[in-house]
């Protein structure tokens, strides 16, 4: 990836006062709840700089990117996840890839989302519409990815991802993402969080003579409700991080009743594995007639743009 510079001087000064990007993965409630909190302010600004997105495009793709980052602590071993959010609204959707190494990249299906009038709020439902979420997971040695899909239900990216986990994985999961912009459309704070209430060991209640009591089921329902209430009480993460706040105070403050413990801290970056050599190698595999046609056009070089990060590579025809 060719890293794009953030050229807005005022934005760079604002970012100097924001804590560095970091993800804290934590457990609580004696291991029954796990979660992750991500300060992704610099992460979203790098995405915005790479794709040169407008305000609406930044908000929608940014939410998808934050959710993509939150998938990383759920990965096992060396794994990558590709998730597609395909809708019939003006936004069309996006495609995002995240891997266990801690990198995320992706793109909006459309470069420009048309609007008829100024935005009155941040409800994105009118721009999303109905559609399908598809999740593809692939381990290092897999020959084919494992794929599963669910319908878009809420026309809210974080809530739709939670629905995917509930329907496809049968795991109660909640997501929340937030992007704070100033009055000039600069991203001054961004973050995301997820909580999962894990099933009992083995994933299901015991059956037969060892069946769990009704009080156990009631305890689980209470735990789920308390976790939902705690997640709903989390302040706007974009605003929280824009004010220079960090991860620890929020985790230990908002979830103190569950006695949280931070298990690991991770660096998450917007990055893409693309490079000039990759595209040059691909072009060399084209039929000779196509290569000759390119050379006969009189151009000295060709430009190739990566969808995932908008990097543009100039390839000299003498190299082909």
């Amino acid at each position: 990836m060719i890293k794009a510079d953030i050229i807005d001087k005022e934005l760079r000064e604002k970012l100097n006062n924001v804590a560095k990007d970091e993800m804290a993965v934590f457990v609580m409630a004696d291991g029954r709840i796990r979660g992750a909190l991500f300060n992704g302010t610099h992460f979203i600004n790098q995405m915005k700089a790479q794709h040169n997105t407008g305000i609406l495009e930044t908000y929608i793709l940014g939410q998808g990117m934050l959710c993509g980052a939150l998938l990383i602590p759920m990965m096992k071993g060396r794994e990558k996840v590709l998730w597609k959010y395909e809708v019939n609204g003006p936004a069309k959707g996006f495609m995002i890839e995240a891997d266990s190494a801690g990198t995320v990249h992706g793109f909006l299906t459309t470069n420009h989302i048309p609007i008829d009038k100024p935005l009155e709020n941040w409800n994105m439902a009118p721009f999303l519409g109905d559609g399908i979420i598809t999740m593809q997971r692939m381990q290092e040695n897999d020959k084919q990815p494992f794929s599963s899909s669910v319908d878009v239900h809420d026309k809210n990216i974080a809530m739709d991802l939670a629905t995917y986990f509930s329907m496809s994985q049968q795991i109660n999961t909640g997501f929340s993402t937030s992007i704070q912009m100033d009055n000039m459309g600069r991203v001054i704070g961004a973050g995301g969080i997820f909580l999962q209430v894990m099933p009992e060991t083995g994933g299901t209640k015991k059956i037969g003579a060892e069946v769990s009591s009704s009080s156990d089921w009631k305890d689980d329902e209470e735990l789920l409700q308390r976790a939902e209430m705690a997640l709903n009480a989390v302040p706007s993460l974009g605003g929280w991080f824009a004010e220079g706040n960090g991860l620890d105070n929020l985790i230990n403050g908002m979830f103190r009743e569950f006695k949280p413990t931070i298990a690991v801290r991770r660096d998450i970056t917007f990055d893409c594995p693309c490079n000039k050599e990759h595209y040059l190698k691909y072009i060399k595999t084209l039929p000779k007639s196509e290569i000759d046609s390119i050379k006969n056009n009189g151009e000295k070089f060709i430009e190739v743009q990566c969808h995932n990060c908008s990097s543009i590579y100039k390839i000299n025809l003498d190299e082909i």
Side-chain angles (χ1 to χ4, degrees):
M1 183 179 87
I2 301 173
K3 187 175 182 179
D5 294 327
I6 297 174
I7 60 176
D8 187 325
K9 182 179 179 181
E10 185 170 342
L11 175 59
R12 292 202 306 268
E13 291 175 354
K14 287 178 180 289
L15 293 177
N16 287 336
N17 297 319
V18 176
K20 75 180 185 72
D21 281 6
E22 187 178 37
M23 177 180 287
V25 183
F26 56 92
V27 294
M28 52 192 190
D30 296 323
R32 288 297 309 281
I33 301 176
R34 69 172 181 173
L37 174 63
F38 176 42
N39 176 4
T41 306
H42 300 269
F43 169 85
I44 294 299
N45 273 286
Q46 190 61 52
M47 175 211 79
K48 187 176 187 296
Q50 292 296 141
H51 289 300
N52 192 28
T53 48
I55 293 175
L56 183 57
E57 292 81 6
T58 297
Y59 194 76
I60 290 178
L61 182 58
Q63 289 186 73
M65 288 287 175
L66 290 168
C67 285
L70 292 171
L71 296 174
I72 292 175
M74 306 182 201
M75 297 181 187
K76 300 176 181 178
R78 299 186 65 177
E79 184 179 3
K80 64 180 180 181
V81 171
L82 175 68
W83 82 293
K84 303 176 184 178
Y85 192 91
E86 301 171 289
V87 290
N88 58 15
K92 303 300 182 186
F94 51 75
M95 186 180 299
I96 291 171
E97 185 173 309
D99 63 50
S100 55
T103 64
V104 188
H105 52 261
F107 59 94
L108 279 172
T109 307
T110 180
N111 293 327
H112 174 69
I113 303 171
I115 57 175
D116 299 326
K117 58 183 178 179
L119 296 178
E120 297 178 355
N121 54 55
W122 290 109
N123 175 22
M124 294 293 102
F127 301 99
L128 298 177
D130 297 323
I132 297 175
I133 288 178
T134 301
M135 195 78 68
Q136 295 182 350
R137 295 182 175 271
M138 194 164 187
Q139 295 279 346
E140 182 180 16
N141 297 319
D142 289 347
K143 294 182 179 179
Q144 297 290 335
F146 171 79
S147 180
S148 56
S149 301
V150 301
D151 291 336
V152 168
H153 282 262
D154 299 289
K155 302 179 180 65
N156 175 297
I157 294 166
M159 293 175 65
D160 284 326
L161 187 57
T163 299
Y164 167 82
F165 274 90
S166 176
M167 296 182 65
S168 181
Q169 307 293 319
Q170 286 82 52
I171 299 177
N172 291 307
T173 308
F175 291 87
S176 178
T177 59
S178 175
I179 297 174
Q180 181 76 28
M181 298 184 186
D182 66 10
N183 57 9
M184 296 299 293
R186 302 182 183 96
V187 176
I188 57 175
I193 187 172
F194 87 84
L195 294 181
Q196 279 188 333
V197 178
M198 304 302 293
E200 287 188 336
T201 303
T204 58
K205 296 283 184 179
K206 296 178 182 179
I207 60 174
E210 299 179 351
V211 67
S212 296
S213 67
S214 59
S215 62
D216 291 333
W217 285 97
K218 183 178 180 181
D219 288 345
D220 276 6
E221 188 65 26
E222 276 188 12
L223 180 62
L224 179 60
Q225 291 176 355
R226 288 165 56 207
E228 289 178 347
M229 290 177 62
L231 183 60
N232 291 334
V234 170
S236 165
L237 295 176
W240 175 267
F241 293 127
E243 294 174 0
N245 297 310
L247 305 174
D248 295 50
N249 288 343
L250 192 148
I251 293 172
N252 293 322
M254 296 302 301
F255 305 125
R256 58 184 178 274
E257 67 170 297
F258 300 106
K259 300 180 180 179
T261 299
I262 296 177
V264 65
R265 299 176 188 271
R266 298 205 55 177
D267 292 329
I268 307 294
T269 59
F270 180 95
D271 199 6
C272 181
C274 69
N275 55 60
K276 177 181 175 180
E277 289 69 27
H278 168 80
Y279 289 109
L280 178 58
K281 183 178 179 180
Y282 170 77
I283 291 172
K284 287 181 177 180
T285 65
L286 295 174
K288 185 177 182 301
S289 60
E290 291 188 31
I291 294 177
D292 289 340
S293 177
I294 293 173
K295 292 182 176 181
N296 291 334
N297 283 336
E299 302 291 341
K300 294 183 178 180
F301 60 85
I302 58 175
E303 291 186 346
V304 182
Q305 185 174 37
C306 175
H307 285 296
N308 287 312
C309 66
S310 292
S311 297
I312 297 176
Y313 297 96
K314 293 185 177 180
I315 298 176
N316 193 305
L317 295 185
D318 292 337
E319 299 178 78
I320 301 177

